[in-house]
Amino acid sequence: MKSITIELYPESKHEIDMPLTGRVEISEGMLEEVKTLAQVCRQHGLNALQRFDFSPEWDWDDTTEMDLLWVTEDSIRFSARPKHMDLEFESQDILLRDLEAQFQAAL
């Protein structure tokens, strides 16, 4: 099964400089799953759906918790909280059309 690796860059909600970069491998199956969840968002007028997803590999010395995948009608993003800290980081929004284009280019 084909997959692509996406680099994740943080968008911190806090006024500190603490980068939490990472990467996630997205398979064709995962892409189809998020496209289905995006369709649910569209059909029901939902802002976003979220689920636990521990697939990102974060560049962090300690572990993270509350690792989530957020799906909107046209994008995904990942979030995590560094363990033992009251901080949350979110990746940049990744447009579904960009993911589909990357899969097409990888053929």
Side-chain angles (χ1 to χ4, degrees):
M1 182 178 280
K2 185 171 51 171
S3 66
I4 58 173
T5 301
I6 302 294
E7 294 294 319
L8 301 174
Y9 301 99
E11 292 185 2
S12 176
K13 296 180 178 179
H14 306 281
E15 295 297 322
I16 61 171
D17 184 27
M18 230 163 85
L20 184 60
T21 59
R23 71 209 117 288
V24 63
E25 187 172 318
I26 298 178
S27 67
E28 288 177 297
M30 183 179 186
L31 178 60
E32 291 305 314
E33 181 181 341
V34 297
K35 285 168 49 177
T36 299
L37 294 173
Q39 182 66 27
V40 170
C41 287
R42 269 190 296 283
Q43 288 175 340
H44 297 284
L46 301 174
N47 186 41
L49 291 172
Q50 63 184 21
R51 70 170 173 90
F52 288 107
D53 188 315
F54 297 94
S55 59
E57 295 179 21
W58 297 103
D59 298 327
W60 184 254
D61 293 338
D62 203 351
T63 57
T64 57
E65 55 190 3
M66 294 295 295
D67 294 47
L68 297 172
L69 166 66
W70 296 77
V71 181
T72 68
E73 64 181 52
D74 64 352
S75 67
I76 63 171
R77 70 180 174 276
F78 295 88
S79 67
R81 293 176 181 256
K83 199 159 186 126
H84 309 296
M85 302 182 102
D86 190 25
L87 302 173
E88 180 180 8
F89 291 90
E90 291 183 348
S91 73
Q92 76 281 16
D93 285 344
I94 305 164
L95 296 175
L96 294 178
R97 68 174 179 256
D98 292 346
L99 287 177
E100 290 175 320
Q102 288 186 35
F103 269 97
Q104 290 301 317
L107 287 178

